[in-house]
Amino acid sequence: KAGVTQTPRYLIKTRGQQVTLSCSPISGHRSVSWYQQTPGQGLQFLFEYFSETQRNKGNFPGRFSGRQFSNSRSEMNVSTLELGDSALYLCASSPGGATGAGLFFGEGSRLTVL
Amino acid sequence: KNEVEQSPQNLTAQEGEFITINCSYSVGISALHWLQQHPGGGIVSLFMLSSGKKKHGRLIATINIQEKHSSLHITASHPRDSAVYICAVGETGNQFYFGTGTSLTVIP
């Protein structure tokens, strides 16, 4: 079974640009959650999608948005990039709706904002 | 205010030593994960706990719901155990609060 696939793995943007990151979950998994990891703040929850609906949202500005498609693939978008958005963005897929289900992470997309 | 407190932040051990990493949390909990992150970024969930104790090989994880505390133990540590270990506490769905991580180095 293929794991969680994130693309692109690395990208460089400049301030003010926007970026879209993609996450393909494990086949059959319906939940995709997104996390930001920085050296200063560690791991922080961005949002979670389940069956194409945003179920939970973390404390991030509206510049951070996401969506999930009918095949469970998910994208997140960051508009008007700031230097502080430089981070490793991780997605995780989970089989079902309960927190008690397993959590499987992708390798991450490393974003550098110049 | 940190919803999840993890200790120690850094840990150096000799190969073969018994290691304990602690996690205390203040939020309501549906499940707790212990995560392992190697250099380069990849994260693996080692354990998912909602009560009691779990064991996988040399790794043991325990949780005390009443005391809001969990521990990860590594018996007979090995250099390949060197990684960052992160405690993740889930309230609902996959909305997790994370500890700051424990960087473990095991010296041969």
Side-chain angles (χ1 to χ4, degrees):
Chain A
K1 216 176 196 182
V4 179
T5 304
Q6 289 189 247
T7 56
R9 290 291 312 281
Y10 302 91
L11 66 166
I12 300 173
K13 294 285 188 178
T14 56
R15 278 183 300 173
Q17 287 187 311
Q18 66 93 27
V19 66
T20 299
L21 309 177
S22 178
C23 174
S24 293
I26 291 171
S27 178
H29 286 194
R30 295 165 64 193
S31 167
V32 174
S33 46
W34 288 90
Y35 307 89
Q36 181 196 66
Q37 187 176 36
T38 60
Q41 298 295 320
L43 272 165
Q44 293 182 280
F45 171 77
L46 279 158
F47 29 66
E48 180 198 10
Y49 288 87
F50 179 75
S51 294
E52 301 180 66
T53 301
Q54 187 180 84
R55 183 162 65 171
N56 294 295
K57 189 177 191 305
N59 189 26
F60 278 81
R63 300 185 297 107
F64 292 81
S65 63
R67 58 178 174 168
Q68 186 179 33
F69 302 96
S70 58
N71 62 358
S72 292
R73 189 178 72 86
S74 178
E75 289 181 346
M76 68 162 282
N77 184 276
V78 187
S79 62
T80 320
L81 284 165
E82 301 177 359
L83 295 178
D85 298 332
S86 294
L88 179 67
Y89 291 88
L90 291 150
C91 82
S93 80
S94 182
T99 307
L103 198 63
F104 300 85
F105 284 85
E107 292 293 311
S109 294
R110 189 168 294 278
L111 170 66
T112 302
V113 182
L114 302 176
Chain B
K1 165 178 157 325
N2 293 327
E3 292 86 0
V4 180
E5 298 279 356
Q6 197 175 325
S7 64
Q9 274 194 300
N10 296 285
L11 185 53
T12 300
Q14 292 289 331
E15 183 174 356
E17 284 187 9
F18 181 87
I19 289 162
T20 296
I21 300 170
N22 294 299
C23 173
S24 296
Y25 54 91
S26 58
V27 294
I29 183 172
S30 293
L32 181 148
H33 284 259
W34 279 103
L35 308 175
Q36 181 191 57
Q37 185 171 31
H38 281 286
I43 292 179
V44 173
S45 173
L46 298 172
F47 291 101
M48 180 182 64
L49 296 162
S50 55
S51 64
K53 175 180 175 178
K54 286 190 176 180
K55 183 176 188 292
H56 290 156
R58 297 178 294 104
L59 274 59
I60 302 167
T62 64
I63 188 168
N64 185 317
I65 298 295
Q66 287 73 32
E67 295 186 4
K68 295 194 170 187
H69 182 269
S70 176
S71 293
L72 175 68
H73 307 285
I74 304 175
T75 63
S77 58
H78 190 276
R80 65 174 173 266
D81 298 326
S82 298
V84 175
Y85 294 84
I86 302 167
C87 172
V89 177
E91 276 193 315
T92 61
N94 288 319
Q95 179 169 6
F96 286 95
Y97 297 94
F98 297 91
T100 52
T102 296
S103 179
L104 171 65
T105 302
V106 181
I107 300 169

